[in-house]
Amino acid sequence: RKRGEQELQRAQAFVSSVVENIPDMVFVKDAKDLRFVQLNKAGETLLGYTRGELIGKNDYDFFPQDEADFFTQKDREVLASGNLLDIPSEPIHTKHLGSRYLHTKKIPLCDEQGNPQYLLGISEDITERKFVEEALRKSEERYSSLVSQATDIIYTAGLDGRFTFVNEAASIITGY
């Protein structure tokens, strides 16, 4: 029996270590009141709150009303559907890092009868990626504007010599 207890403690310590060292925020909320029951180190760093400050509290204790409403609505959807919910981008206000964007996945954790007991969430901070994507979009818009307004012929061709792109000036100048 003692060996079994030791093995169980080792297994629990291993799982705790894995969750604690995942570089994305991992959180667990109770299904009834959506209060935080677990948060990993990455979650503390991202949100700017310690576990002691978060455990037992809900989103309304930390986030603006509209964000807390959104998070709570999505949590309830997950618990009602019983399915994984993938939220590709959601804004969040953090204590020390300001506004961030998260890619969040949420799934219910159910008992043997299939009743949700907890909600598990994993959130990746995608703020830098969003900024890079926005800068790329703006750069593409500028490039497209320059090419379309150019009075010289601008084109691209594939290795076979066929045109893959021609600007409006090419049509005007060549008549094609």
Side-chain angles (χ1 to χ4, degrees):
R1 191 180 114 224
K2 185 171 181 142
R3 198 172 342 147
E5 288 173 1
Q6 290 174 339
E7 191 58 38
L8 180 60
Q9 287 175 341
R10 276 193 288 270
Q12 289 173 333
F14 174 75
V15 171
S16 292
S17 178
V18 168
V19 170
E20 189 62 20
N21 289 291
I22 291 174
D24 296 330
M25 177 172 65
V26 177
F27 59 91
V28 178
K29 297 177 182 177
D30 70 79
K32 183 180 177 197
D33 299 319
L34 298 175
R35 295 187 182 283
F36 288 95
V37 296
Q38 191 169 5
L39 180 77
N40 70 348
K41 185 173 25 180
E44 286 182 305
T45 302
L46 174 67
L47 297 178
Y49 297 101
T50 66
R51 279 169 248 224
E53 292 173 299
L54 278 162
I55 301 302
K57 307 253 174 66
N58 65 35
D59 292 324
Y60 291 97
D61 295 316
F62 300 97
F63 305 111
Q65 176 83 33
D66 58 333
E67 281 182 18
D69 287 345
F70 177 81
F71 299 150
T72 300
Q73 174 197 356
K74 295 301 180 186
D75 291 349
R76 292 285 177 218
E77 284 177 26
V78 168
L79 294 169
S81 74
N83 296 317
L84 172 76
L85 177 65
D86 188 343
I87 306 165
S89 179
E90 62 181 354
I92 188 169
H93 288 83
T94 66
K95 186 175 181 180
H96 301 299
L97 300 175
S99 294
R100 309 298 289 176
Y101 289 93
L102 304 179
H103 176 191
T104 301
K105 293 182 180 181
K106 297 178 177 183
I107 191 163
L109 301 176
C110 300
D111 62 15
E112 299 80 24
Q113 290 77 39
N115 300 314
Q117 299 299 299
Y118 299 97
L119 176 122
L120 169 65
I122 301 175
S123 297
E124 176 188 8
D125 185 347
I126 59 167
T127 306
E128 303 310 318
R129 183 184 328 153
K130 294 274 290 179
F131 289 149
V132 168
E133 288 171 355
E134 180 62 18
L136 179 60
R137 186 189 61 73
K138 287 180 179 179
S139 175
E140 287 174 347
E141 284 177 1
R142 281 192 299 274
Y143 167 77
S144 178
S145 177
L146 288 171
V147 169
S148 67
Q149 295 175 13
T151 56
D152 293 328
I153 294 175
I154 299 175
Y155 68 91
T156 59
L159 294 176
D160 61 0
R162 293 179 185 257
F163 293 113
T164 56
F165 170 82
V166 295
N167 68 343
E168 185 65 27
S171 297
I172 294 169
I173 292 170
T174 65
Y176 292 105

